[in-house]
């Protein structure tokens, strides 16, 4: 791997000056009605029927090969049951003290339209790949209440309550997570898109951060300050040479981003709040007083668990903010909001990742002090940019775009990404 260049100055993107400048606006009534109708139409007329069909197939008939092994309601949020995926080697006959490293996962959907069913295939496949590689994993899919009925920060506190039920069971294990094979010393959390945001947000809470060893945000939403139009036109890479859906000259998220933002963020909310926009939890400053000058100081790493693996997609308007967070955490030069991801050329090998090019992949270890200034903590940060991939490339629903090249390339890369995540968690983190 190429040498890592020294960290450079300072993040120039995001909130500056008075925080009152960066607050969510109150939209005109006509715009609210438009977004409300769109949210209602998608959730009630499309997603709800699809979820019902999926529930019948997986939860009641058990005919889907990706259905969970256990569906469990927890006392703090019984309306948000978790979906538990176990390896074949684990059974009711397994010794009660057999505990497994555990990955909690959080679905996406713009905080509005997603469902835990959306990731059944990914969760099941991760368990299978991990077992094949010699490491049995438990994967638990979490749920949360959706905007606009439940805007920020409801989802974060829903997840907090469910995670505490799972990881801090009381003596009555039948009502909590104590009867699940969770190794409490080896727990990580991952999420896609809005779920990546929520994984980083909930892991900042003092009640949760000590319980989680690692966070894996995948193509996360991290920045509500920077306008969507800037994200989609400045930092997002476009490659017409790919053809098909990936070769389009607009990002498909743009048609929904306004509705998602309106639904999740209430008027007057400070958009740079680190729980809403986790990219602003960390700051990078140059210490001009240091001998020789140029020493970079990273502040805020301690707000997250000690291990963070940021994964983004090259053809995604959200990729830039993921890149910025990864570089902040890793103490690298922080790109601006108009710095473009990846490279202009199409990748030479379909279905392959780029692990020797630092635009696409790097990892660093740092040791620094916790808030008390005395405790030294080793922290691991990793960046992976999936080449020629759109937002949601690794989900079964990507097939609705009718692009066989997109699906085939995405599923091959999904396998490789899963293997890397598993290896990082098992060999370095948990």
């Amino acid at each position: 791997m190429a040498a890592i260049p020294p960290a450079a100055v300072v993040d120039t993107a995001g909130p500056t000056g008075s925080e009152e400048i960066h607050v969510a606006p109150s939209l005109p009534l006509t715009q609210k009605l438009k977004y409300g109708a769109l949210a209602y139409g998608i959730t009630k007329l499309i997603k709800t029927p699809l979820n019902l069909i999926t529930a019948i197939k997986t939860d009641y008939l058990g005919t889907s090969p990706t259905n969970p092994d256990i569906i469990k309601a927890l006392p703090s949020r019984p309306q948000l049951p978790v979906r538990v995926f176990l390896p074949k080697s684990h059974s009711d006959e397994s010794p009660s003290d057999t505990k497994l490293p555990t990955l909690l996962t959080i679905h996406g959907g713009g905080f509005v339209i997603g469902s835990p069913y959306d990731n059944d295939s990914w969760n099941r496949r991760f368990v299978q790949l991990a077992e094949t590689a010699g490491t049995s994993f438990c994967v638990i899919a979490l749920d949360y209440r959706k905007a606009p009925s439940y805007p920020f920060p409801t989802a974060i506190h829903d997840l907090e309550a469910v995670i505490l039920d799972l990881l801090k069971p009381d003596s009555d294990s039948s009502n909590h997570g104590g009867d699940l094979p969770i190794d409490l010393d080896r727990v990580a959390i991952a999420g896609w898109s809005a779920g990546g945001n929520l994984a980083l947000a909930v892991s900042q809470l003092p009640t949760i951060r000590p319980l989680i060893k690692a966070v894996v945000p995948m193509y996360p939403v991290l920045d509500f300050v920077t306008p969507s139009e800037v994200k989609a036109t400045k930092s997002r890479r476009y490659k017409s040479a790919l053809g098909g859906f990936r070769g389009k000259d607009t990002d498909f998220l743009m048609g929904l981003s306004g509705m998602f933002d309106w639904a999740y963020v209430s008027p007057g909310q400070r958009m740079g709040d680190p729980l809403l926009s986790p990219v602003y939890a960390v700051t990078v400053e140059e210490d001009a007083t240091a001998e020789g000058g140029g020493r970079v100081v990273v502040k805020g790493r301690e707000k997250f668990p000690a291990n963070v693996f940021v994964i983004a997609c090259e053809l995604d308007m959200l990729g830039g903010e993921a890149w910025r967070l990864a570089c902040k955490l890793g103490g690298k030069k922080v790109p601006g909001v108009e710095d473009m991801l990846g490279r202009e050329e199409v990748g030479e090998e379909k279905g392959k990742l780029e692990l020797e090019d630092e635009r696409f992949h790097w990892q660093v270890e740092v040791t620094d002090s916790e808030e008390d200034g005395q405790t030294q903590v080793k922290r691991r940060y990793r960046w992976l940019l999936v080449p020629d991939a759109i937002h949601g490339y690794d989900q079964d629903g990507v097939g609705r775009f009718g692009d066989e090249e997109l699906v085939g390339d995405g599923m091959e890369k999904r396998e490789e990404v899963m293997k890397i995540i598993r290896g990082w968690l098992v060999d370095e983190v948990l």
Side-chain angles (χ1 to χ4, degrees):
M1 185 180 297
I4 298 174
V9 200
V10 199
D11 179 23
T12 57
T16 56
S18 172
E19 291 185 343
E20 283 70 28
I21 296 173
H22 302 285
V23 297
S26 181
L27 300 179
L29 178 60
T30 54
Q31 194 69 36
K32 294 178 184 177
L33 292 174
K34 175 185 174 182
Y35 286 152
L38 180 59
Y40 181 88
I42 295 176
T43 56
K44 302 300 183 184
L45 304 181
I46 299 176
K47 281 296 289 184
T48 298
L50 288 176
N51 288 342
L52 178 60
I53 293 170
T54 303
I56 292 172
K57 290 170 59 178
T58 64
D59 301 352
Y60 299 105
L61 299 180
T63 57
S64 170
T66 63
N67 61 299
D69 298 284
I70 300 170
I71 299 171
K72 184 176 179 64
L74 298 167
S76 65
R77 297 293 191 277
Q79 76 275 38
L80 301 171
V82 298
R83 302 171 70 77
V84 183
F85 299 80
L86 299 171
K88 286 184 178 180
S89 59
H90 188 89
S91 68
D92 292 338
E93 288 74 36
S94 298
S96 59
D97 60 350
T98 300
K99 302 297 182 182
L100 304 175
T102 297
L103 179 65
L104 310 177
T105 64
I106 307 174
H107 65 83
F111 309 97
V112 177
I113 61 176
S115 154
Y117 301 118
D118 298 341
N119 304 121
D120 278 0
S121 174
W122 195 101
N123 292 330
R124 174 57 66 196
R125 185 60 181 151
F126 185 87
V127 169
Q128 292 170 343
L129 286 175
E131 187 168 29
T132 299
T135 308
S136 293
F137 251 90
C138 172
V139 174
I140 303 177
L142 312 180
D143 199 3
Y144 51 93
R145 288 174 290 178
K146 309 298 184 298
S149 298
Y150 300 97
F152 171 85
T154 303
I156 297 170
H157 295 299
D158 282 344
L159 291 164
E160 177 188 28
V162 171
I163 292 170
L164 289 175
D165 275 350
L166 287 170
L167 304 185
K168 299 191 76 174
D170 64 15
S171 57
D172 185 2
S173 63
S174 64
N175 289 329
H176 290 64
D179 57 342
L180 297 176
I182 302 170
D183 184 340
L184 297 178
D185 293 323
R186 293 189 292 169
V187 178
I189 190 167
W192 298 265
S193 191
N197 171 292
L198 293 170
L200 287 163
V202 73
S203 67
Q204 291 180 59
L205 301 180
T207 55
I208 301 299
R209 189 171 61 247
L211 307 177
I212 303 295
K213 295 294 187 295
V215 189
V216 186
M218 293 176 273
Y219 42 90
V221 185
L222 299 178
D223 182 3
F224 280 87
V225 173
T226 303
S228 296
E229 292 78 10
V230 173
K231 300 178 187 181
T233 60
K234 301 298 183 180
S235 62
R236 202 267 206 195
R237 180 72 67 176
Y238 291 90
K239 300 187 183 185
S240 59
L242 282 166
F245 192 83
R246 290 182 294 173
K248 291 181 179 294
D249 59 3
T250 56
D251 192 301
F252 73 94
L253 288 181
M254 272 302 297
L256 294 171
S257 62
M259 182 270 284
F260 288 153
D261 291 356
W262 162 80
Y264 189 56
V265 186
S266 301
Q269 169 64 45
R270 183 170 63 89
M271 293 186 290
D273 184 330
L275 290 179
L276 177 64
S277 297
V279 72
Y280 301 117
V282 183
T283 60
V284 181
E285 303 171 0
E286 187 171 10
D287 183 3
T289 66
E291 184 177 351
R295 188 173 76 92
V296 169
V297 178
V298 181
K299 298 181 179 180
R301 283 171 170 153
E302 73 283 349
K303 296 176 183 176
F304 298 112
N307 307 286
V308 183
F309 187 173
V310 182
I311 300 173
C313 304
E314 192 181 14
L315 311 181
D316 180 7
M317 60 182 277
L318 302 181
E321 57 213 79
W323 186 23
R324 283 170 49 217
L325 177 64
C327 289
K328 284 184 175 186
L329 290 169
K332 291 176 169 288
K333 179 180 179 180
V334 181
V337 295
E338 297 189 4
D339 287 344
M340 193 168 289
L341 283 166
R343 63 181 173 218
E344 183 178 356
E345 301 80 19
V346 173
E348 294 182 2
E349 293 188 78
K350 294 181 180 179
K352 300 297 182 183
L353 304 176
E354 299 281 355
L355 301 181
E356 302 300 323
D357 184 333
E358 283 215 345
R359 292 172 294 181
F360 292 89
H361 177 249
W362 50 257
Q363 52 187 329
V364 298
E365 288 189 6
V366 299
T367 302
D368 57 17
S369 300
E370 279 286 12
E371 293 174 336
D372 60 10
Q374 303 296 320
T375 306
Q376 297 295 302
V377 178
K378 178 180 285 188
R379 305 184 188 277
R380 299 175 181 86
Y381 301 111
R382 192 162 183 173
W383 161 250
L384 178 65
L385 180 64
V386 183
D388 300 337
I390 64 167
H391 188 94
Y393 77 98
D394 57 350
Q395 301 300 309
D396 292 343
V398 78
R400 69 181 181 274
F401 298 131
D403 185 336
E404 293 184 4
E405 288 287 328
L406 163 64
V407 174
D409 182 70
M411 290 301 105
E412 287 186 54
K413 288 171 179 171
R414 180 176 89 160
E415 294 277 302
E416 295 306 309
V417 171
M418 286 183 181
K419 292 174 183 177
I420 290 172
I421 294 172
R422 185 215 68 85
W424 182 71
L425 291 176
V426 171
D427 299 335
E428 302 183 42
V429 176
L430 299 183

